[in-house]
Amino acid sequence: MQAPFGMSRSVNENNDLAFTDPLTGLGNHRRFFDKVDRLISDRADDPAPFAVGILDLDGFKPINDLFGYRAGDDILIQVGMRLRAAMDGQATVARIGADEFAFLYPMVFSEEAATEKAKMLIEILSAPYDVGERTARLSASVGCSLFYSGDETTEILLSKAETALYQAKRSGRGRVVVYTREMEEAAKRVTRIEQALRRAVSAGEVEPHFQPIVDLKTRKTIGFETLARWTDPDLGLVSPAVFIPIAEERGIIGPLSQLVLRKATEAARSWPQDLFLSFNLSPSQLVDQNTGLHILAILKRTGFDPRRLEIEITETGLMTDPASAEKIVSDLRRCGIRVSLDDFGTGQSSLGRLREFHFDKLKIDRAFVSSILEDRPSEHIIRAILAMCEGLGMDVVAEGIEEEAQAKRLIEFGCAGGQGYLFGKPADADATLGYLRDSFRGASRVGAL
Ligand code: C2E
Ligand code: MG
Ligand code: MG
């Protein structure tokens, strides 16, 4: 029989346990910090650089979900063995999180050498893993940082590696990023924008602008796309291409979206009733089951007819959690809200998705429209998209039309809807009301304005 834990073990053994990851047998977070601390004090008089890195398995959670936790543990053990076997000389590896490993290379003196080492680790981990009868594959991302001066602590060094890892993850799977000064500047700027945006959202300072969507043949406005606009007193005008991704990453997109939708539907309520309003939803909102409820609550509060609302989603939004996206989308459609697939052709397009999801409309990305006049492949792609939409009974809008010749060509191909600077730039609520008064003067629809 085994003695109760700690009773018959020596002090050394117990100490060892406190510094060991029980699953993989590698050192844990504490051991790793200890080693780096020691190396930093060793290098106090000898200013040779060294490298640390954090390695994170890409998409480990789906593996756990697919194969079960037991298999997940088995894979982590195999990862641990492969990493340990790859450590040469005085290099060390430790497991510092569920699927996070840290390594220390005392004899790596440059960013290039650190990148080489990290790439080798990723390569080693990419070979298949045995999971019972089946095999699984994994990739990993790595962030590295180099120790250059005695001013740096272990915490600082690892937080720099963490920042680099974050960049690596953002840029795709299987990447290595080494920390640089510019990265720190960029990270600071993101934090500044985040703080300013939080304040602006609670003060209700993000405004909807509206861009007309027209019937290409008659040039009549059939609806408007809502586009968020934000001007900060210090930062000035910040583009949605900058603040929307930050809002998503830092968890501000929900309240921001609700604010913009509320203001937009209040403004559009009095427009002619046959005009629709479209509104963009971010990928992270399609993972949150409360999104549908929030939208419906706002429509109820502002008295906006759900049949006049369209939501625009992208393929990326459907990929993260297709089942969740499907549920949100079908709940909204049941209430009469229409759904468009935005930026079609740019993301990881999958025609299969068009079978699984039902869309009312598809928006052809500006990238194709802008090259339609010069580029044969774009022309063919647009024709193919139009034929497909006709077959599937979906409306089509071509985005980013800037020139008359592009509009003409699209009409020839049979595209019914268009949007772009040629017909109107996004404008605020007052300017949009003025635009509607001008365009519908004399028509019966103007009575509503
Ligand atoms: P998007 O949904 O594809 O919106 C179309 C973008 O193309 C808008 O950029 C619009 O101003 C721009 N655009 C329209 N016509 C033309 C043209 O003829 N030429 C050129 N060069 N550009 C044109 P914007 O307003 O900067 O928005 C960028 C993206 O930010 C949007 O792309 C959308 O994905 C996102 N976004 C904007 N507002 C919101 C929002 O309220 N919520 C969410 N989740 N995303 C939003
Ligand atoms: Mg859009
Ligand atoms: Mg778009």
Side-chain angles (χ1 to χ4, degrees), residues 312 342-343 365 399:
E312 298 190 7
D342 201 2
D343 304 342
D365 194 75
E399 296 188 280

Side-chain angles (χ1 to χ4, degrees), residues 211 225 227-229 240 280 282 342-343 366 399-400 402 420-421:
Q211 186 178 29
E225 175 171 4
L227 294 159
R229 292 291 178 265
N280 294 284
S282 283
D342 201 2
D343 304 342
R366 183 160 67 88
E399 296 188 280
E402 294 181 351
Y421 295 167

Side-chain angles (χ1 to χ4, degrees), residues 211 225-229 239-241 243-244 248 253 256-257 260 279-283 285 312 314 342-343 363 365-366 399-402 419-422 424 426:
Q211 186 178 29
E225 175 171 4
T226 311
L227 294 159
R229 292 291 178 265
S239 156
F243 72 78
I244 294 286
E248 281 198 49
I253 193 70
L256 185 154
S257 198
V260 176
F279 187 78
N280 294 284
L281 278 190
S282 283
Q285 294 178 281
E312 298 190 7
T314 59
D342 201 2
D343 304 342
K363 297 185 81 173
D365 194 75
R366 183 160 67 88
E399 296 188 280
I401 305 176
E402 294 181 351
Q419 178 180 356
Y421 295 167
L422 178 66

Side-chain angles (χ1 to χ4, degrees), residues 142-161:
V142 180
C144 298
S145 63
L146 272 98
F147 172 86
Y148 290 112
S149 79
D151 301 340
E152 273 164 337
T153 62
T154 304
E155 280 80 11
I156 294 174
L157 210 53
L158 281 167
S159 98
K160 288 179 173 177

Side-chain angles (χ1 to χ4, degrees), residues 163-210:
T163 304
L165 174 65
Y166 185 65
Q167 286 284 332
K169 284 260 174 201
R170 269 172 65 142
S171 57
R173 287 164 168 250
R175 303 279 173 87
V176 178
V177 171
V178 181
Y179 179 85
T180 59
R181 239 286 118 71
E182 296 82 66
M183 223 171 264
E184 188 167 67
E185 293 304 315
K188 274 196 196 137
R189 186 168 156 76
V190 166
T191 306
R192 231 182 119 204
I193 295 177
E194 176 197 344
Q195 285 164 351
L197 187 60
R198 277 189 198 282
R199 192 204 55 80
V201 169
S202 33
E205 287 171 11
V206 183
E207 295 295 329
H209 278 213
F210 304 95

